Amino acid sequence: MPAKNLTANRATLGHRVTYALRNPGRVPRHLARAARDMWLRHRHPDHIAYYRAVMRSDTRTDPDAAVGSRNRARWLALGEMQFDYLLGHGLRPEHRMLEIGCGNLRGGWRFIRHLEPGHYYGIDISPDILFAAQDTIVELDLRQRLPTLTPVADLTLRFLPDAHFDVVHAHSVFSHSPLPVIDECLANVGRVLAPGGWFDFTFDRTEGEEHHVLREDFYYRTETLVALAEKHGLRARFMDDWEKLPHGQSKIRVTHGDAD
Ligand SMILES: C[S@@+](CC[C@H](N)C(=O)[O-])C[C@H]1O[C@@H](n2cnc3c(N)ncnc32)[C@H](O)[C@@H]1O
């Protein structure tokens, strides 16, 4: 895994031209995505509807690739990384877990296997990827663990109970989210978080200018997201130990503002 590029602004013409000259093989795919982006933005001005359409298109081709893994071996490895990290941070079978943007259960199937039956709750904006998640449950014989998988239209979490989840997890979700979506999540996650619980999310980090590529990939400064969490009375800290792992994104942990 190459070192993170924390200063590039991938949205500038200069960066795009240099990247294309260095990686000519990737140009056709990027052009196809840019064309799709223009079409879907026109059809779906609302970001959630837009990204749901992106997921529909990607899931039809390959659900594993739709969540960002180019083959099953990578899908398994990336899920294992998420699972091992949370296990190392004390995820126990009796915990109740909410996974935001659970995808086709790349990490989720391991959480479902580890947790007591009924203790895993996955939500996602894409019904298509949730159908693929059901395939994962069947394939990996996890029916008896009784996970819940629910489509959502926003991140108000309004149908979920107060102070219920010990662990909330969002991997590679805010990397695809504009700031108002993250704001909505942080405004509401504290209500569903149990006392002593924590919410971990990954994000694409920049130390330069915040930017996005198409409406698909968003790059934030750590202090922006920490300040957003604090605005909602939460405490947020950058997870240094996650940086040691071979993953392109960074991680922030959010807890109740009064947590030790
Ligand atoms: C890159 S995939 C990662 C899936 C899963 N977390 C994993 O690591 O395999 C991002 C997932 O987040 C979902 N997603 C994106 N924005 C969302 C939002 N605002 N609320 C809920 N899910 C969202 C997408 O539909 C997709 O399934």
Side-chain angles (χ1 to χ4, degrees):
M1 159 80 42
K4 292 182 172 93
N5 182 345
L6 296 175
T7 51
N9 182 339
R10 295 158 189 81
T12 60
L13 185 61
H15 179 89
R16 279 152 53 198
V17 170
T18 311
Y19 187 85
L21 290 172
R22 284 199 191 131
N23 304 278
R26 296 194 179 169
V27 172
R29 183 169 179 274
H30 181 75
L31 289 179
R33 288 187 94 87
R36 182 179 72 178
D37 176 76
M38 270 172 60
W39 167 240
L40 292 181
R41 255 194 307 173
H42 171 70
R43 286 197 63 188
H44 306 289
D46 163 63
H47 177 79
I48 299 297
Y50 163 88
Y51 203 72
R52 185 180 294 126
V54 168
M55 286 302 292
R56 162 164 280 215
S57 154
D58 283 349
T59 303
R60 273 186 189 152
T61 312
D62 176 359
D64 290 1
V67 299
S69 292
R70 62 172 174 270
N71 55 49
R72 214 359 95 125
R74 302 276 294 210
W75 187 88
L76 288 167
L78 214 281
E80 190 172 25
M81 189 188 298
Q82 296 180 45
F83 178 70
D84 287 350
Y85 184 83
L86 272 185
L87 206 62
H89 280 256
L91 179 70
R92 296 194 308 271
E94 66 271 25
H95 280 149
R96 293 183 189 277
M97 180 172 184
L98 171 66
E99 185 169 11
I100 296 173
C102 60
N104 69 338
L105 304 178
R106 182 168 58 171
W109 75 268
R110 294 176 195 270
F111 298 131
I112 291 166
R113 191 179 56 173
H114 176 68
L115 296 170
E116 287 173 11
H119 282 217
Y120 175 90
Y121 203 110
I123 61 175
D124 203 289
I125 55 168
S126 166
D128 297 276
I129 202 70
L130 289 177
F131 299 149
Q134 292 175 354
D135 294 339
T136 303
I137 289 169
V138 174
E139 253 174 62
L140 297 171
D141 199 14
L142 292 164
R143 299 173 186 89
Q144 301 306 322
R145 314 301 293 181
L146 214 65
T148 303
L149 299 174
T150 303
V152 291
D154 56 44
L155 286 178
T156 58
L157 311 174
R158 65 188 190 283
F159 58 95
L160 294 170
D162 288 359
H164 186 73
F165 295 103
D166 305 289
V167 179
V168 181
H169 178 72
H171 184 96
S172 284
V173 181
F174 291 173
S175 44
H176 304 294
S177 302
L179 213 52
V181 171
I182 303 176
D183 190 37
E184 182 177 68
C185 182
L186 291 171
N188 292 289
V189 73
R191 184 184 64 76
V192 303
L193 207 54
W198 72 90
F199 169 34
D200 280 2
F201 63 84
T202 61
F203 66 107
D204 270 325
R205 178 160 63 100
T206 180
E207 290 180 353
E209 204 177 332
E210 296 187 340
H211 59 281
H212 58 88
V213 178
L214 311 179
R215 294 296 292 172
E216 292 190 31
D217 300 311
F218 293 77
Y219 294 79
Y220 295 109
R221 295 175 68 90
T222 304
E223 55 268 33
T224 299
L225 300 179
V226 167
L228 209 55
E230 287 172 354
K231 183 182 95 176
H232 294 296
L234 301 165
R235 182 176 298 177
R237 74 180 158 107
F238 186 80
M239 301 305 279
D240 287 308
D241 58 349
W242 177 263
E243 294 297 300
K244 298 184 190 111
L245 299 174
H247 193 270
Q249 297 183 8
S250 295
K251 194 184 279 276
I252 286 177
R253 173 162 300 171
V254 166
T255 51
H256 285 294
D258 54 4
D260 288 333

